[in-house]
Each structure stands twice: as C-alpha cells, then as structure tokens.
Amino acid sequence: MCLAIPMEIKSIDGPVANVEISGVTKQVRLDLMSEEASVGDYVIVHAGFAISRLDREQALETLEIFKELRLDAF
Amino acid sequence: MTPFDSFKNPDLCRALLGKLEAALDKPMRFMEVCGTHTVAIFHSGLHSLLPSQLVHLTGPGCPVCVTHESEVAAFIELAGKDGVIVATFGDLMKVPGPGGANLKKAQAEGARVEVVYSPFDALALARDNPASKVVFLGVGFETTAPAVAATVKIAREQKLDNFLLLSFHKLVPPALRALLADPFMSIEAFLLPGHVSAIIGLAAYKFIEDYHVPAVIAGFEPVDILTSLLLMVEQRKKGEAKVVNGYPRVVPDAGNPKALATMYEVFKTSDALWRGIGAIPDSGLVLADAYAQCDAFKVLDITLKESKPLPGCRCGDVLKGILKPNECPLYKKVCTPANPVGPCMVSTEGSCAAYYKYQL
Ligand code: SF4
C-alpha cells in the first residue's frame, strides 16, 4: 500500500491532473503539492494524490556525482 | 523511457556494487523501514547481490504489519455495526486479528467492506450512500496521512457529513527513536524511507545523529538504493554519522510543507500501539478536536480493547531486526501468504512475505 510511483502530468484541470505511466492514465489530486506542477512534469503519486515533483536538475546532478566517482560511462 | 531511467542502469549497479564491496572493511547491519524498500531490494535481486558483509534487516516499515491486534479488533467491531460501510486499502483485508478474525471473513459474513485505491474514492461511496456512515480505515505513515487529511478536508467542504475516519496513522521518526533506545538494538545504519521523507524532510531525523548511526534517505530504483548504501558505508569509514539525503530529485531537504500543514491541521499526535513493539509515545495521529465530528471513534463509540498477541508469531522480533523471518518456527511450515499467521506475512510489503516470495 505504500507504493508511490512517478507519473507524467498530461493535463491539469483545477485540483486534478491527468497523469500517465506506460500508457495507463489516471486522475490524481494536486491538493498536497507545495510547488506548482505543470504539464510534462513527473510527480510521485501515492493513494490518488501527487506528493512530490521530480526534479530533473537534481537527477542530473546526482548522475554527475557518479562521474566524479569515476563511474563515467554514464 | 523517462528522463530518470539511468537510475535503473545495470552497468551502473554493477559499478556501485564493486564500490560498495571495496568500501566495506567489516560487517555492517543496516535496516530499512519502508515496505517499498523491502520489496525493491528483494525484487531487484539486490538482497542476494549485496556484499555478504552488508546485512539487510527489514524494520517496521510496512503499515499493515505494524497495525496492532487491538486496532484490527476495532476494524472488525466497526465492520459489524449496522449502517456502516467500511472503506479500506485492500492490504488490510486479510490482516489477522484476535481469534483469526479478519475483514475478509467479516465481509463474507455480511459486513459491507469496500476496497478503495485512494481515500478520495471513499467520498463517492459517501455521496452514493447518504443513509450509511462510510468509514475510511486510516493506516499508513507520513506518505499516506496527508492524503487522508486532504480527503477529510474535502469531505467537510463538500458537506459529506456521513464520511468518517478511524485513524491509526503512525509516524516513522518516533519508531526509529524507540528502536535506537532498545538495549538489544543491533542496527548500525538506517536506510530512510524516500517517500515518507518527501513529506517530512531531513530535520525530522536529526536526533538519529545523537546515536552515532549513519542514516541515508534512499529512493527505490536499484541505483538509488546502492548509492544510498554507499553513502552509508562511506560515512562509517570516515567515522561520521549524519542524516544524508540520497534521493534529492524527489526529497527536498525541507520536505513538503503543504502536505505537513494539511496533516497537522486535521490530525494531532498521540501515543500509538505498534504490533510486536507496543506503545510508542507520540507515534500516532488522531483527528484534531476541530475535526471531531469526522472521528469514527467518537461518533460510533469505538474503543481499543486489550487483545493478546497472536500465539507463536514472532513479527515483533522480525520488525525490530532481532530475528530474520526464516528463523521464525512457523515460517513456511504453518505460516504462508495463503494462510498467514501474522501480519508480516499478509502484505506483499511484509518482511515474511518478501522472504517467502523471493527465497524459495
Ligand atoms: S513467519 Fe508468520 S508467524 Fe512467523 S513472524 Fe512471520 S508472520 Fe509471524
């Protein structure tokens, strides 16, 4: 029941977003989002609510650290 | 393909496993406290690929498993009441209560129990059944409690007075504190739950540093888990014990202030019972006074009664990292996912169920 998955926002209508993962679409509530989410963003969805926005910059930064660790094939 | 697929990259995993092996100079027992980590570590094969010096313990991270037998007895009492529709996450259906009772059996005997994916779906049930009380069973940690809190607020806005909540929500940091204070504690590091942390942020864990135990917030892809394990092992090597964010693409250091504010508008903290562990101070969430009219405990006069632990089940020791599931005398012999004796075998996120599924 803890499962929380990243899904891509396809459209937003007030407090509700249509999100998609691997061709499956769903409606989720945006009431709990601290930051504004936009179409094209990935959000973590849990129990029908988006709880966090995935930060692309941060993801790239983490992958940069792997380069510093000389795991440079990435 | 998503922009985040590199976090599944097998070559990167192999390189990280090599780094991890090289960084370990002696054994280290780490505990994860998140059902999704339990499943991810087994499902990805990491449990058997990790260096043998790195001992994986699964702690009290599965909300279903830590739901106390007295709490299960309360669900079942509730389900038996006239004019009540119970709305619940599916995982709770088979959790055993006193005398082997569970919600599934209650349903077979005529109780109205509806499985929902989101607490929000229970609002439609309330709308469609105005003559009944629709009671959502609130279980789950800080990832789930804000969603339930938001639902309670929406119910009030929409004047759905027949929507009630029976809250057994629990908080992760007080449980970690209880584990650390246990004299039998043998945990040398924590892998902290990614999505709980996305809500509560880093500060909530600061007290762990006082126990000199490294703690790293981890995501759920294999690369996330391995990176966080590496950050953990490297800390010990340097003699450090800090709370570190190994999942910054999802977890802002400050957490999610809006979700926290919603949670603490609707709920207040209280002592709570954890299966196998017992009462932990301030580790639970009950409805705040301003929301008392949604509180199923008050409206339907439900009280928690004392109940005996399930005979033979060692879930408590499993959840504290004292015993591995396969060391429980009932494991696989009497207790199986089809016929679970204890809650750790019920949920797919339970330690015993994960062992059963992946270690056969
Ligand atoms: S194997 Fe079954 S009886 Fe033993 S601790 Fe796990 S759930 Fe309890």
Side-chain angles (χ1 to χ4, degrees):
Chain A
M1 63 160 283
C2 296
L3 201 62
I5 20 182
M7 296 181 132
E8 188 182 355
I9 297 186
K10 291 292 182 187
S11 64
I12 295 178
D13 183 8
V16 178
N18 280 302
V19 294
E20 194 230 75
I21 185 171
S22 332
V24 181
T25 53
K26 244 177 178 335
Q27 286 205 329
V28 299
R29 300 279 314 186
L30 297 172
D31 311 63
L32 298 173
M33 291 296 288
S34 281
E35 334 160 54
E36 186 116 5
S38 329
V39 172
D41 279 345
Y42 282 78
V43 285
I44 299 285
V45 174
H46 173 69
F49 285 76
I51 56 165
S52 179
R53 191 175 71 88
L54 270 89
D55 188 329
R56 278 169 214 254
E57 301 271 299
Q58 282 287 3
L60 291 175
E61 248 176 67
T62 308
L63 294 167
E64 278 299 308
I65 299 174
F66 297 140
K67 287 198 183 132
E68 279 166 37
L69 288 169
R70 290 174 197 273
L71 302 173
D72 12 36
F74 319 95
Chain B
M1 283 291 276
T2 78
F4 307 102
D5 280 351
S6 299
F7 291 94
K8 302 183 204 281
N9 184 312
D11 292 329
L12 192 42
C13 286
R14 260 188 294 278
L16 282 163
L17 275 166
K19 284 240 153 215
L20 205 49
E21 184 91 58
L24 273 163
D25 40 11
K26 55 180 181 201
M28 188 172 197
R29 292 165 67 85
F30 79 94
M31 177 180 269
E32 41 79 7
V33 282
C34 170
T36 312
H37 275 150
T38 309
V39 172
I41 291 172
F42 279 98
H43 182 74
S44 61
L46 284 182
H47 183 83
S48 41
L49 291 172
L50 287 178
S52 56
Q53 302 229 71
L54 203 52
V55 181
H56 166 210
L57 305 170
T58 60
C62 151
V64 172
C65 306
V66 299
T67 301
H68 195 268
E69 36 282 336
S70 301
E71 298 177 332
V72 181
F75 300 167
I76 293 165
E77 181 191 336
L78 174 73
K81 288 198 182 264
D82 283 340
V84 164
I85 302 174
V86 173
T88 177
F89 292 126
D91 305 46
L92 280 182
M93 292 298 280
K94 279 167 87 183
V95 182
N102 65 29
L103 281 175
K104 187 126 193 92
K105 288 182 194 163
Q107 187 187 44
E109 284 157 16
R112 185 118 186 246
V113 184
E114 301 279 344
V115 171
V116 291
Y117 155 75
S118 163
F120 191 73
D121 299 341
L123 296 184
L125 274 174
R127 211 171 291 118
D128 295 346
N129 295 278
S132 303
K133 302 262 186 240
V134 172
V135 187
F136 184 74
L137 302 181
V139 293
F141 300 121
E142 292 92 332
T143 325
T144 316
V148 174
T151 304
V152 170
K153 284 181 69 169
I154 298 166
R156 173 170 286 188
E157 278 157 30
Q158 299 186 352
K159 304 207 172 4
L160 288 168
D161 299 335
N162 63 330
F163 174 81
L164 304 177
L165 176 70
L166 195 67
S167 174
F168 295 115
H169 288 292
K170 293 183 173 54
L171 301 169
V172 169
L176 301 182
R177 197 188 285 275
L179 287 170
L180 288 167
D182 188 323
F184 295 106
M185 200 276 296
S186 62
I187 305 152
E188 293 167 291
F190 278 117
L191 203 66
L192 297 172
H195 296 141
V196 163
S197 306
I199 305 289
I200 67 176
L202 248 68
Y205 301 111
K206 269 287 174 203
F207 69 92
I208 300 175
E209 294 178 358
D210 300 340
Y211 292 87
H212 304 289
V213 167
V216 184
I217 295 170
F220 301 94
E221 300 295 355
V223 167
D224 289 316
I225 293 169
L226 289 168
T227 310
S228 292
L229 289 174
L230 188 59
L231 288 169
M232 204 175 77
V233 170
E234 283 180 339
Q235 280 202 56
R236 183 181 66 178
K237 229 177 154 182
K238 287 188 250 161
E240 290 173 356
K242 292 204 194 102
V243 177
V244 173
N245 187 357
Y247 192 30
R249 72 180 181 284
V250 167
V251 178
D253 287 359
N256 179 337
K258 193 168 176 194
L260 274 177
T262 307
M263 185 168 102
Y264 283 113
E265 179 192 327
V266 172
F267 294 116
K268 61 179 180 186
T269 55
S270 73
D271 298 348
L273 289 169
W274 294 61
R275 173 100 58 162
I277 298 177
I280 302 180
D282 289 327
S283 67
L285 293 173
V286 294
L287 280 162
D289 300 340
Y291 287 88
Q293 72 274 39
C294 312
D295 192 339
F297 279 111
K298 296 195 171 117
V299 176
L300 297 171
D301 196 22
I302 305 274
T303 46
L304 282 191
K305 297 174 188 69
E306 231 176 273
S307 52
K308 287 199 192 79
L310 302 166
C313 175
R314 304 283 302 273
C315 265
D317 289 339
V318 169
L319 297 174
K320 285 191 264 188
I322 294 171
L323 201 77
K324 295 261 179 69
N326 53 358
E327 291 162 358
C328 166
L330 304 189
Y331 174 78
K332 252 165 79 170
K333 297 191 184 80
V334 185
C335 182
T336 62
N339 256 317
V341 174
C344 300
M345 191 59 98
V346 173
S347 167
T348 45
E349 293 162 6
S351 319
C352 300
Y355 259 72
Y356 190 92
K357 183 160 177 203
Y358 295 103
Q359 297 251 310
L360 278 178

